[in-house]
């Protein structure tokens, strides 16, 4: 068993600690060099400095109580109004800032459940109707809040299908949810049609604009085709938009907006009988970091509409270049019709295996999001990716060539693992295996966990039975099926 790590007996000096921090950074993906295609929403060093200073100046302030810090109250209310304006809300639109997309979605689900309890008490088994491509944060929220999620299939363009959603609506439906756009494919769900359905069935409708809320308005202003997705659409009752994504604020900031107070009021939680006093809380978190609010407010002040437009123009132009380059590679096909800077591609007929291609790209120093159903690679084009687009495309072509020349590679490395996860039809087994990976990660009774974490960037080997099942499924796909058919 490895030695347990304790708080150092004597405090260490600042320089040693900062030095260690910068060494720890060396093992991370070099996102600033454009090697990651997700997670870090970056403008430039000057903007980063502003965020850091703004965050630091409200580093200690706690927004637990909106009345204790007038400064943070003012900034939160202004961020809410700026976002509501951007998403074409009228003066009745209101909301709160939260810590991120997942909290915004959690609160929206909670709010509609609380509303249903008050307004429709006959609903004892509440349901949400949505599509397969919706972000898992909805299912997570519903799981915690004991709500059933009913998901309809998406179409060939990777978009929600209103007629399929309609089939799932019952008298227990408390909410319809759709995305603008979806994370997996950057597809814009048909918000107008779904909102019509919502109005017709008298059900609230949440649009998840977590990734698109601070980008799509500028994409639209730049003249790219974008169907209506925001408060201009009657029937849309709430929208989540993450300021820590394309709002270019600091991490820990999202905005959750409702059409009016009649919805938002169900979000507030008030405990009246606590010995610690009356405890009132507008969002999920108790203590709320003042820094995230100050940094988001400052980001909006610093970039201004012209700044957001300029950055969006750059990344949309880069997106068109990548799309064009991908369309010229005969083996590649792009999934759906992405509406902004998300591109998801696969290989035609999965030849060569897209996960082998992904492994090769990873060996060349790229960090990738692998997706399933179908197996594919996901890119969000960020500003820091722009200078390395040509290198990426060259590396992709080389990786495809390698995969074509080495068909046996499927059985190795991450390609095998991800291929296996995507292929196994029993999803309960996949869940069990992933659960085990987490259990192992946090199980400190195992040997050398810390050292392992320091050296390993790949996922652990799957259990033997999964490998055997995988081989069987591969064999079945290649030969068993054919034998049966012939
Ligand atoms: C469409 C969508 N919704 C929700 C989320 C969840 O946001 P967060 O990771 O900030 O919790 C994401 C994150 O990428 C997203 O793309």
């Amino acid at each position: 068993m490895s030695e347990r790590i304790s708080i150092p007996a004597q405090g260490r000096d600042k320089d040693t600690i900062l030095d260690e921090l910068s060494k720890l950074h060396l093992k991370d993906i070099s996102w600033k060099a454009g090697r990651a295609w997700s997670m870090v929403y970056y403008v430039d060093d000057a903007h980063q400095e502003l965020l850091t200073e703004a965050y630091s100046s409200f580093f200690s302030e706690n927004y637990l109580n909106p009345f204790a810090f007038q400064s943070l109250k003012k900034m939160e209310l202004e961020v809410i109004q700026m976002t509501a304006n951007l998403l074409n809300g009228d003066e009745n639109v209101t909301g709160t800032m939260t810590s991120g997309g997942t909290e915004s979605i959690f609160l929206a689900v909670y709010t509609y459940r609380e509303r249903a309890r008050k307004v429709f008490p006959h609903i004892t088994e509440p349901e949400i109707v949505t599509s397969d491509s919706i972000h898992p944060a909805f299912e997570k929220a519903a799981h915690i809040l004991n709500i059933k999620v009913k998901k309809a299939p998406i179409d060939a363009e990777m978009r929600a299908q209103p007629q399929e959603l309609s089939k799932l609506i019952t008298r227990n439906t408390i909410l319809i949810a759709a995305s603008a756009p979806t994370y997996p494919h950057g597809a814009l769900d048909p918000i107008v049609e779904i909102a019509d359905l919502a109005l017709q069935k008298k059900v609230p409708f949440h649009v998840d604009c977590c990734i698109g809320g601070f980008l799509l308005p500028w994409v639209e202003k730049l003249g790219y085709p974008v169907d209506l997705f925001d408060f201009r659409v009657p029937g849309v009752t709430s929208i989540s938009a993450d300021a820590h994504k394309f709002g270019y604020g600091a991490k820990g900031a999202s905005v959750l907006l409702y059409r009016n107070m009649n919805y938002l009021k169900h979000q507030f939680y008030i405990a009246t009988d606590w010995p610690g006093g009356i405890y009132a809380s507008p969002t999920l978190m108790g203590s709320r970091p003042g820094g995230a609010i100050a940094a988001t407010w400052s980001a909006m002040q610093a970039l201004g509409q012209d700044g957001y437009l300029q950055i969006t123009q750059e990344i949309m132009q880069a997106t068109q270049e990548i799309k064009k380059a991908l369309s010229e590679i005969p083996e590649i096909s792009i999934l759906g019709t992405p509406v902004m800077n998300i591109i998801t591609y696969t290989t035609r007929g999965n030849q060569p295996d897209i996960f082998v291609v992904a492994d090769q790209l990873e060996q060349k120093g790229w960090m990738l999001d692998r997706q399933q159903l179908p197996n594919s690679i996901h890119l969000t084009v960020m500003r820091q990716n722009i200078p390395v687009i040509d290198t990426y495309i060259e590396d992709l072509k080389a990786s495809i060539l390698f995969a074509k020349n080495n068909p046996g590679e499927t059985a190795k490395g991450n390609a095998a693992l991800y291929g296996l996860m995507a292929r196994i039809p029993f999803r309960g087994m996949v869940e069990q295996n992933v659960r085990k990976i987490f259990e192992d990660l946090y199980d400190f009774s195992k040997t050398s966990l810390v050292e392992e974490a320091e050296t390993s960037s790949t996922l652990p080997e799957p259990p033997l039975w999964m490998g055997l099942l995988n081989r069987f499924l591969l064999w079945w796909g290649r030969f068993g099926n054919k034998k049966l058919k012939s």
Side-chain angles (χ1 to χ4, degrees):
M1 198 172 105
S2 60
E3 209 179 304
R4 297 221 64 153
I5 293 181
S6 308
I7 295 174
Q10 269 87 42
R12 301 160 75 196
D13 67 89
K14 178 182 157 194
D15 289 344
T16 327
I17 297 168
L18 293 181
D19 185 50
E20 188 165 336
L21 287 182
S22 59
K23 283 192 186 124
L24 283 172
H25 263 314
L26 296 176
K27 295 184 177 160
D28 293 342
I29 185 83
S30 40
W31 62 265
K32 219 175 191 181
R35 290 274 155 179
W37 295 87
S38 60
M39 288 194 285
V40 183
Y41 302 79
Y42 170 77
V43 175
D44 57 24
D45 284 354
H47 186 72
Q48 199 91 338
E49 256 167 48
L50 167 77
L51 292 184
T52 314
E53 277 182 38
Y55 201 107
S56 307
S57 65
F58 280 85
F59 183 81
S60 306
E61 279 69 14
N62 186 348
Y63 198 42
L64 175 65
N65 174 353
F67 302 100
F69 295 103
Q70 296 295 323
S71 52
L72 290 170
K73 187 173 77 176
K74 172 182 156 60
M75 285 188 278
E76 186 202 22
L77 296 182
E78 288 191 9
V79 167
I80 294 164
Q81 283 188 31
M82 288 188 278
T83 312
N85 256 323
L86 182 65
L87 297 172
N88 294 296
D90 63 20
E91 69 286 357
N92 294 317
V93 168
T94 182
T96 56
M97 281 187 77
T98 73
S99 62
T102 301
E103 189 189 343
S104 286
I105 289 166
F106 180 88
L107 283 173
V109 171
Y110 170 74
T111 297
Y112 289 114
R113 190 195 71 172
E114 290 307 287
R115 175 180 178 270
R117 280 182 174 176
K118 297 242 162 55
V119 186
F120 307 109
H122 65 273
I123 301 182
T124 51
E125 293 182 359
E127 295 171 356
I128 297 173
V129 168
T130 186
S131 304
D132 284 337
S133 54
I134 199 80
H135 194 278
F138 282 89
E139 281 195 292
K140 188 176 174 182
H143 178 71
I144 297 168
L145 294 166
N146 205 15
I147 296 169
K148 185 172 176 186
V149 178
K150 291 161 95 181
K151 292 201 282 186
I154 49 176
D155 65 14
E157 284 293 301
M158 308 296 174
R159 288 160 36 110
Q161 306 184 81
Q163 70 280 16
E164 295 296 323
L165 293 172
S166 175
K167 289 182 200 160
L168 300 180
I169 297 173
T170 66
R171 58 198 296 274
N172 288 334
T173 309
I174 60 159
L175 174 66
I176 300 173
S179 316
T182 64
Y183 180 83
H185 312 108
L188 181 56
D189 283 339
I191 302 301
V192 173
E193 288 86 338
I194 301 173
D196 281 350
L197 178 68
L199 282 175
Q200 195 194 319
K201 303 274 184 185
K202 297 192 173 55
V203 177
F205 176 27
H206 181 86
V207 181
D208 178 8
C209 279
C210 279
I211 200 154
F214 286 98
L215 197 84
L216 272 188
W218 313 113
V219 174
E220 186 184 344
K221 282 195 175 74
L222 287 166
Y224 290 94
V226 179
D227 292 340
L228 292 187
F229 64 94
D230 59 17
F231 284 114
R232 284 169 292 182
V233 183
V236 170
T237 52
S238 55
I239 298 181
S240 46
D242 291 355
H244 67 194
K245 295 193 172 81
F246 294 106
Y248 301 110
K251 286 273 182 297
S254 170
V255 183
L256 172 57
L257 298 173
Y258 297 91
R259 174 124 353 230
N260 56 49
M261 187 55 77
N262 284 334
Y263 297 101
L264 173 62
K265 68 182 183 187
H266 297 286
Q267 184 179 297
F268 304 141
Y269 182 79
I270 295 132
T272 52
D273 301 328
W274 186 42
I278 293 180
Y279 182 96
S281 162
T283 61
L284 178 65
M285 305 233 292
S287 294
R288 296 165 79 190
I293 295 171
T296 299
W297 182 87
S298 306
M300 291 177 180
Q301 302 303 315
L303 294 174
Q305 300 195 20
D306 55 343
Y308 281 111
L309 209 57
Q310 169 68 31
I311 301 166
T312 308
Q313 197 201 334
E314 288 172 25
I315 56 180
M316 283 306 287
Q317 168 123 23
T319 305
Q320 307 315 309
E321 281 166 29
I322 301 186
K323 273 194 203 160
K324 182 166 178 293
L326 289 174
S327 69
E328 285 164 3
I329 303 175
E331 290 85 356
I332 294 291
S333 85
I334 294 175
L335 300 178
T337 311
V339 72
M340 47 179 237
N341 59 337
I342 289 174
I343 305 173
T344 299
Y345 65 88
T346 187
T347 42
R348 293 179 195 279
N350 204 33
Q351 291 303 321
D353 188 325
I354 190 71
F355 288 159
V356 177
V357 175
D359 277 5
Q360 284 305 301
L361 282 166
E362 222 160 51
Q363 279 184 25
K364 293 177 196 296
W366 299 98
M367 205 202 90
L368 300 166
D369 283 354
R370 293 172 175 80
Q371 297 193 153
Q372 57 178 349
L373 309 166
N375 295 354
S376 47
I377 293 176
H378 177 277
L379 308 175
T380 310
V381 184
M382 313 277 195
R383 208 177 192 209
Q384 64 270 26
N385 300 122
I386 297 174
V388 295
I389 290 173
D390 290 345
T391 319
Y392 181 79
I393 295 293
E394 285 316 305
D395 284 352
L396 173 61
K397 286 180 184 164
S399 302
I400 292 172
L401 194 64
F402 174 92
K404 280 170 92 171
N405 292 338
N406 297 275
E409 281 299 303
T410 328
K412 294 187 206 148
N414 277 344
L417 179 66
Y418 284 100
L420 179 157
M421 295 283 196
R423 200 176 298 113
I424 286 186
F426 319 109
R427 305 316 284 170
M429 285 182 178
V430 174
E431 187 196 320
Q432 248 184 31
N433 193 46
V434 177
R435 227 168 243 291
K436 183 79 177 46
I437 293 173
F438 270 179
E439 283 170 21
D440 287 351
L441 177 68
Y442 292 106
D443 185 346
F444 294 107
S445 67
K446 297 257 166 77
T447 48
S448 309
L449 270 178
V450 176
E451 290 78 6
E452 243 175 55
E454 278 181 5
T455 51
S456 162
S457 62
T458 50
L459 287 170
E461 285 289 304
L464 182 68
W465 65 262
M466 269 197 146
L468 293 174
L469 183 58
N470 186 36
R471 281 190 187 188
F472 170 73
L473 290 167
L474 271 174
W475 172 84
W476 181 254
R478 279 198 200 133
F479 305 111
N481 255 337
K482 285 182 199 122
K483 273 191 199 155
L484 206 72
K485 278 183 205 145
S486 59

